[in-house]
Amino acid sequence: MDEAPLPDMFQADLDDAGVDELFTDLAAHADVQHIRMRDGPTPDGCATTLGEARAHLLSGEVSGVQIIYRFDGEGWLDTLMRTDAGIRLVRVRQP
């Protein structure tokens, strides 16, 4: 039985300025399809805008944010998690 290869995964630790730059780039260049917040203020965990998700993440109101989007014809999933060092970004290309 052949197993499908794991998708490409990238990881980086971001400071507040890096988080701002990421959200600015996503707003300007990506087709955002879904935003989900972990441990957030909304019952369903969904954010309505990138700005709302960014604000909740940077204020510490949520422990993480997942953003599903398309960029340059490919699907991506960005997961941002609060850590002691700041915000960790894990990016996975969707099959």
Side-chain angles (χ1 to χ4, degrees):
M1 177 163 97
D2 291 333
E3 291 187 31
L6 294 174
D8 293 336
M9 183 174 76
F10 308 93
Q11 181 174 301
D13 290 324
L14 305 175
D15 58 12
D16 289 357
V19 172
D20 286 342
E21 185 176 337
L22 171 65
F23 276 82
T24 298
D25 286 349
L26 288 173
H29 304 291
D31 174 18
V32 175
Q33 299 173 332
H34 187 72
I35 304 167
R36 182 156 190 86
M37 299 183 294
R38 182 177 175 124
D39 305 323
T42 60
D44 62 1
C46 294
T48 56
T49 67
L50 285 169
E52 178 183 287
R54 179 194 149 281
H56 288 303
L57 183 66
L58 291 177
S59 72
E61 292 178 79
V62 299
S63 61
V65 171
Q66 286 188 316
I67 305 166
I68 299 171
Y69 62 96
R70 295 196 62 74
F71 172 75
D72 202 20
E74 296 190 72
W76 295 90
L77 168 64
D78 283 5
T79 301
L80 295 110
M81 301 166 285
R82 296 190 64 75
T83 68
D84 291 338
I87 304 293
R88 174 155 300 146
L89 166 65
V90 177
R91 176 172 286 163
V92 178
R93 185 186 324 242
Q94 299 295 291

